[in-house]
Amino acid sequence: MERILVEHPLGDDALRLFASAYGTPLYLYDARSVVDRVRRLREVLPSGIELCYAMKANTFLLPEVASLVNRVEVCSPGELRICRALDIPTGQIVVSGVYKDDQTVDEALAHRALPAAVTVESAAQLDLVARAAAARGVRVPVLLRVTSGNQFGLDPDELPGIIRRLGEAPHLELRGLQFFSGTQKTSLKRIAREVARLDELIARLEEATGQAIAELEYGPGLPVSYFAGDDFDEDAYLAAFSGMLAGMAFGGRITLELGRSLVASSGTYLTSVVDTKVNRGQRYAIVDGGMHQLVYYGQSMAMRQPHVRVLGREGVPGAGSQEGEGADACRWTVCGALCTVNDLIVKQAQLGALEPGDILAFANVGAYSATEGIALFLSRDLPRVVRIGFDGTAELVRDGLGTDVLNTPLPSLP
């Protein structure tokens, strides 16, 4: 298909053009929104703060996002292979993940350039990375992941001993700490406590071990407004967060590991109404997409109202409206194409007089929807993915894919 040049931000006419050209359901990602987002963060954060992109949020924007940030975090062999296929510089990659095996670490160290860092989540992982580094004859930069009280990372009480072991390992180099404690954190008080504890931990470790902690990679879990009613003053939030970072006693390198905060606003999901009905007084709209393709934070779409609109229907109340105006204003429960009662996308949304052929546009789906959904359920085809580049040119970056081949058992082998 020919490339399409579109304006920024995208309007309904452009979205209808994409739906006509590529069909629905459809993921549409606009890299220009990421440019805007990164620019805004860099303007408000203290000078020198670096950014790391957690690519699990959206792999289809990786080439563009990688050019805007300092690092890219990979958490699986598959993600590492994606980086290789897209020629992401090895020196930009942080190899992370709660589970690492010998093959994955060896592959990460196999290129001429070393990764920016390899994270260590346990004493066993420390031994694994040390073996791989020794076998390759290289000195590997290491970040020690600190647990936030779950299965990830190292207990702070273990860190002095681990750091001493690192100091005796000729093929490992301690770079610093990595800490991630969750996502969608709207509480500035919670983040302030985290920053203070990290400051104290670094000072305590340096004093106890005599080793310098040169770097902190911190995942603050900056929130995204996904649903009607959960908007917040982000300018004030980011300004306060920036002040916390600027006030740290720690004087080393700080890298913020971000995912949804960078790319959520870049994505739109288009899905068409294919049937409407009224059952026991409730209006239902059936769409060609569903919960297997449309995932917001916490899988809570049916409980809350996402930002959704009907294309070409200016003035029609959107999700979150309490009362409609006019004869066409009515409430709909929107359901997907899966044969399960759980496939509820929106409940009681005021979307006007829906009919087959109408197209619903869901905003803020740039993070996780295409990579986190239960895509194989019922062997439904995967949607096409269209990416709009920095120059406003759109192109198909993944065609529709049938999943039946993945769910078909192979014949018995002789």
Side-chain angles (χ1 to χ4, degrees):
M1 296 184 181
E2 294 184 0
R3 295 187 175 189
I4 301 173
L5 184 66
V6 291
E7 76 277 5
H8 180 59
L10 295 174
D12 282 12
D13 288 344
L15 294 177
R16 290 173 69 88
L17 176 63
F18 282 116
S20 176
Y22 297 104
T24 61
L26 179 70
Y27 295 117
L28 182 63
Y29 301 126
D30 193 340
R32 297 169 298 181
S33 295
V34 185
V35 173
D36 296 340
R37 181 62 177 168
V38 170
R39 182 185 299 116
R40 183 182 184 191
L41 289 174
R42 292 200 185 280
E43 286 175 351
V44 70
L45 293 172
S47 176
I49 296 291
E50 298 190 352
L51 301 178
C52 175
Y53 177 53
M55 65 176 283
K56 61 180 175 285
N58 188 323
T59 57
F60 297 100
L61 282 168
L62 182 57
E64 286 78 12
V65 181
S67 70
L68 300 172
V69 299
N70 305 94
R71 290 180 174 177
V72 173
E73 182 196 58
V74 307
C75 290
S76 73
E79 288 190 343
L80 183 58
R81 289 193 293 270
I82 291 171
C83 285
R84 299 295 191 219
L86 297 175
D87 292 324
I88 303 301
T90 301
Q92 195 176 0
I93 295 173
V94 175
V95 181
S96 191
V98 67
Y99 168 59
K100 302 180 182 72
D101 60 15
D102 292 273
Q103 181 179 355
T104 300
V105 176
D106 182 66
E107 289 179 358
L109 304 182
H111 284 231
R112 181 175 300 176
L114 288 175
V118 176
T119 68
V120 165
E121 300 225 7
S122 67
Q125 274 197 12
L126 180 67
D127 293 337
L128 186 158
V129 177
R131 288 196 307 270
R136 289 282 175 183
V138 294
R139 185 169 171 81
V140 177
V142 167
L143 290 172
L144 300 179
R145 181 168 185 178
V146 184
T147 188
S148 60
N150 48 36
Q151 74 270 36
F152 302 108
L154 291 151
D155 189 294
D157 292 340
E158 288 186 86
L159 290 175
I162 294 289
I163 291 173
R164 293 187 185 99
R165 286 181 57 190
L166 266 169
E168 299 170 356
H171 295 285
L172 299 182
E173 176 190 353
L174 174 64
R175 284 289 175 84
L177 305 181
Q178 183 193 60
F179 181 76
F180 180 80
S181 65
T183 189
Q184 291 292 88
K185 289 188 292 197
T186 57
S187 172
L188 283 168
K189 290 183 178 179
R190 178 181 173 185
I191 291 185
R193 289 194 297 269
E194 285 182 358
V195 170
R197 285 198 295 265
L198 287 169
D199 227 0
E200 294 169 2
L201 176 62
I202 291 170
R204 189 165 68 249
L205 290 174
E206 289 183 333
E207 181 179 1
T209 66
Q211 294 286 323
I213 305 297
E215 180 178 337
L216 171 64
E217 184 175 297
Y218 175 37
L222 300 182
V224 171
S225 295
Y226 280 129
F227 305 105
D230 67 358
D231 291 338
F232 65 103
D233 187 344
E234 190 181 48
D235 288 338
Y237 183 100
L238 291 176
F241 176 55
S242 179
M244 295 173 197
L245 296 177
M248 292 184 73
F250 173 64
R253 173 180 185 172
I254 298 177
T255 302
L256 298 181
E257 184 255 294
L258 304 171
R260 73 177 71 243
S261 179
L262 289 179
V263 297
S265 61
S266 71
T268 303
Y269 176 75
L270 303 179
T271 183
S272 296
V273 177
V274 295
D275 198 3
T276 60
K277 61 182 74 175
V278 179
N279 287 346
R280 296 184 176 180
Q282 171 61 55
R283 295 180 179 87
Y284 290 95
I286 311 299
V287 297
D288 58 4
M291 70 173 189
H292 55 316
Q293 299 168 357
L294 186 55
V295 181
Y296 286 105
Y297 174 70
Q299 297 276 10
S300 59
M301 288 191 60
M303 303 302 295
R304 304 177 67 185
Q305 299 290 327
H307 298 287
V308 57
R309 67 185 188 275
V310 185
L311 295 186
R313 296 279 188 85
E314 294 184 8
V316 174
S321 298
Q322 297 300 312
E323 298 296 336
E325 297 179 1
D328 288 341
C330 52
R331 297 183 185 274
W332 293 88
T333 292
V334 180
C335 303
L338 301 182
C339 293
T340 168
V341 294
N342 295 320
D343 195 4
L344 298 173
I345 300 178
V346 184
K347 285 184 177 180
Q348 301 294 313
Q350 293 204 25
L351 296 171
L354 289 182
E355 57 187 35
D358 285 337
I359 300 172
L360 303 183
F362 289 83
N364 294 341
V365 300
Y368 294 107
S369 275
T371 56
E372 192 181 21
I374 51 173
L376 300 185
F377 189 46
L378 284 175
S379 299
R380 288 282 180 181
D381 291 352
L382 297 180
R384 287 172 166 169
V385 178
V386 172
R387 183 181 64 214
I388 302 172
F390 295 145
D391 63 355
T393 300
E395 59 181 327
L396 185 69
V397 293
R398 188 187 75 189
D399 207 347
L401 294 174
T403 63
D404 53 291
V405 65
L406 301 176
N407 290 339
T408 302
L410 293 173
S412 298
L413 299 176

